[in-house]
Amino acid sequence: MASDQLVIGGRELTCRLFVGTGKYASNEQMGEVLRWSGAQVVTVALRRIDLQAKQDDILRRIPPGVQLLPNTAGARNAAEAVRIARLARAAGCGNWVKIEVIADNKYLLPDGYETVKATATLAAEGFVVLPYISPDLMVARELVAAGAAAVMPLGAPIGSNRGLKTKELLRILIAEIPLPVIVDAGLGKPSHACEAMEMGAAACLVNTAIAGAGDPVGMAGAFAAAVQAGRQAYLAGPDRESELARASSPLTGFLFS
Amino acid sequence: MSFYVEHQKYRDFDWAGYFRAVTPEQVEKIIRGDKLGLLDFLALLAPAAEKHLEAMAVKAHRLTMQHFGRTVTLYAPLYLSNYCINRCLYCGFSSRNTLPRKQLSPAEVAREAAIIRSGGIQQVLILTGDAPAVATVEYIAACLQVLKRYFPSIGMEVYALSTGGYSRLEAAGVDALTIYQETYNEELYAGLHPQGPKRDFRFRLAAPERAGEAGLRAINIGALLGLDDWRRDAFFTGLHADYLQRRYPAVEVSISLPRIQPQAGGFEPAFPVADRHLVQYLTAFRLFMPRAGITISTRENANLRDHLVRLGVTRLSAGSCTVVGGYGDQTETAGQFAIADHRDVAAVAAAVAALGYQPVFQDWHRLDGPAGEMNRK
């Protein structure tokens, strides 16, 4: 397992749970979650960062060494996403960016076309681009061509906690896209994340299910363990499912021994 | 197509008959359900739903937690001008009332902004009366140039503008519009607005659509509760919000629930709204539009506001002053309406935190600042 590293943008990651920073009762609680989750990648909405402050209260709670992944929440089109990404980099948030282009506030579904445009622009400017998408194979292929470092398809709509509703489409992306596939949005329980990892997802990003839990720190630990277990199961090669029973010690085995 | 067409579909609607027919079983089924239609929303506003307030509140709390988390955004109003040529019967700024009229100079705007900012507020809502020849669009734009130095996000609650007016102010730095229809009862509206440009019901009704066309990011609407039967105005507010969200899916649509408070002129609401009815409206709306923002201003007292946070409120004003220039000069007391929650920003933030929520001071950063400068390099 020691060699099982995820590499994105040249950075080697051992923890495959990415976490978000929104919806917490306090930034102190958010900081605790980050520490206990063991996450090495943390996404933060630039819209919530106080760019005029000497040290923003969210950013100062992100543990040293953790990769900051600013996201473009609030962007309605590619142009706004690009501007937010540049703003983030100019503010010292590094060159990773999670592209979120959402022009539908009812379902919060991402705009694939605008996401591809923003990705092409930012990748050409040297950003490490992780675009949030619906699990659409054609959009994902466009993103590969546009220079994305990974793709982040949704399991279910943001904040819905509904689990892997897009499982069949995720399976196709995992099989066909030569980039890390990070399942983002909709994962409501550790078992959802575990299943995504068993399927071969490279990582999972979780926010609402942790922030909304009765004990967010405890839930962060549960997600971290589930992601790790799912990854180990994937690497171990799960046995195939069968509609018929297969006894561990076949009853007719003696005929052939 | 405009919202007026939707509004007119209910012109001959049998409100009393519909409300009478709502049964407890129907209400329970709606609360248990996943998605509400318009008539489901109306059923939750019926008298029969009053007995189910706790169940509505529990679900409203759960939905709000799911979509907004444990956060409440704080903002403050900044009154730029109280000149007004309307004679709205319920408003302290009515031209009928004799109060000192004042319009802030850019220097005074800066002084007010600095005071608000020093209290921690980062999102401000600028307001004017309805005097387009005095508080002109260009005057408001000039104020925005000052305010942009202090606030990452600026909303406005000014008289209804043309699409061009909204575009001009969007380009000048406004992110969000707040505009209240006051009442969706067209006949009543005419009586309440006997004189002035605000008398044009349809022009005001279509203002949020013009703001959507102009590209504003967020639109907040509402009815002034107490002017008409709250159940009808609550329904039309929901209908309007739903219409705007469908027509402008990229816009963050939200509502306010302002109740009439004492003001100069001594207007008494014909249909006072009880606390339990405010809660019924708030929770019914949350079940109808789980992702929409809900604002409660300092018109309501501290105790009620604190309780409403758990029921679905996502935005609170804090440390508010409704007097033009009132943050710096506290000798003048004639505001647009009386404030009931007199806590300062720190006290409101502390109360929010004590409830287990995070007070959020910044929820958007205008994109014409450093990013624009970077583009010019």
Side-chain angles (χ1 to χ4, degrees), chain B residues 115-143:
Chain B
I115 294 170
I116 295 171
R117 190 70 177 81
S118 68
I121 288 290
Q122 297 184 54
Q123 302 201 50
V124 73
L125 176 70
I126 57 172
L127 299 96
T128 70
D130 194 340
V134 183
T136 62
V137 167
E138 288 311 312
Y139 164 74
I140 298 169
C143 291

Side-chain angles (χ1 to χ4, degrees), chain A residues 23-25 27 47-49 51-52 74 76 80 83-84 86-87 90 103-108 159-160 211, chain B residues 35 66-67 69-70 117 215 217 249-252 291 356-358 360 362-365 367 370-371 374-375:
Chain A
K23 299 186 175 180
Y24 286 97
N27 285 337
R47 65 188 287 173
R48 287 271 169 95
I49 299 294
L51 299 175
Q52 294 175 330
R76 296 170 292 183
E80 289 189 346
R83 291 169 80 177
I84 292 171
R86 290 172 178 163
L87 200 58
D104 185 317
N105 273 298
K106 190 170 184 180
Y107 298 103
L108 294 183
S160 67
Chain B
K35 273 188 172 180
Q66 181 183 338
H67 293 290
R70 295 181 168 98
R117 190 70 177 81
R217 306 186 55 79
V251 168
E252 293 176 11
R291 283 207 42 78
Y357 287 72
Q358 180 178 180
V360 171
Q362 180 183 310
D363 190 34
W364 180 245
H365 195 295
L367 298 178
M374 275 181 51
N375 288 341

Side-chain angles (χ1 to χ4, degrees), chain B residues 334-354:
Chain B
Q336 189 185 25
F337 57 85
I339 284 172
D341 182 349
H342 296 281
R343 294 175 295 184
D344 63 15
V345 176
V348 173
V352 167

Side-chain angles (χ1 to χ4, degrees), chain B residues 223-349:
Chain B
L224 186 55
L225 300 173
L227 297 177
D228 193 10
D229 176 1
W230 71 270
R231 300 178 201 278
R232 286 199 215 185
D233 269 338
F235 173 72
F236 277 117
T237 304
L239 182 72
H240 200 175
D242 180 57
Y243 171 87
L244 292 169
Q245 193 66 87
R246 288 173 191 275
R247 180 156 177 186
Y248 303 102
V251 168
E252 293 176 11
V253 175
S254 60
I255 69 161
S256 291
L257 289 78
R259 279 196 295 190
I260 294 177
Q261 299 297 332
Q263 36 67 48
F267 180 81
E268 289 293 329
F271 300 87
V273 181
D275 287 355
R276 69 178 188 282
H277 290 149
L278 192 71
V279 167
Q280 187 179 355
Y281 174 16
L282 193 160
T283 54
F285 179 77
R286 169 57 71 227
L287 267 59
F288 177 54
M289 291 186 69
R291 283 207 42 78
I294 298 178
T295 299
I296 294 286
S297 76
T298 53
R299 288 172 182 266
E300 303 298 342
N301 67 51
N303 181 51
L304 181 65
R305 294 214 308 162
D306 289 354
H307 280 98
L308 295 180
V309 164
R310 290 178 180 276
L311 304 187
V313 169
T314 58
R315 210 161 158 262
L316 293 172
S317 51
S320 300
C321 174
T322 66
V323 177
V324 178
Y327 288 101
D329 176 7
Q330 296 178 0
T331 58
E332 179 54 55
T333 56
Q336 189 185 25
F337 57 85
I339 284 172
D341 182 349
H342 296 281
R343 294 175 295 184
D344 63 15
V345 176
V348 173

Side-chain angles (χ1 to χ4, degrees), chain A residues 109-130:
Chain A
L109 292 174
D111 183 327
Y113 176 70
E114 293 290 318
T115 300
V116 170
K117 281 204 296 186
T119 298
T121 301
L122 292 170
E125 293 180 11
F127 281 89
V128 175
V129 184
L130 290 80

